[in-house]
Amino acid sequence: MTRSWPTISIGIPTFNESSNIRRSLESIFRQKYPGKLEVFVIDDDSTDDTVAIAKKYPVVVLRNGNHDLGIGKKIGLDHASGKYFMFMDADIDLCGFNWFTKLIKPLEVDSSL
């Protein structure tokens, strides 16, 4: 397929997601993607343990503070360095172990996609 797998940047805007963020991050980091994952948690001044939980994972925590989801997404995109970028909600739980590989492989094989 490809000699090296591209970096995927993932932006997760959050506000008081302590009940969800752990499960979401666990599902990201259990993936067997052979390339690099760059994960940003863009927090909007949560008053719960969202940030403390996120900091237990290899993520970059960024502050939004504007109480605007669109601005939070833009902050994540502005910091991304991956070839591919995606947003995830904090309550997303990726199934299986090859989610990113299945997502990226067709894009890398067929440049017309």
Side-chain angles (χ1 to χ4, degrees), residues 89-113:
D89 290 336
D91 61 352
I92 297 292
D93 186 354
L94 301 176
C95 297
F97 299 96
N98 296 306
W99 200 89
F100 294 118
T101 304
K102 290 178 180 180
L103 177 73
I104 297 303
K105 187 174 183 179
L107 299 173
E108 289 292 298
V109 170
D110 185 354
S111 63
S112 70
L113 295 178

Side-chain angles (χ1 to χ4, degrees), residues 17 21 24 52 70 72 82 101-102:
E17 292 286 353
I21 194 68
S24 183
T101 304
K102 290 178 180 180

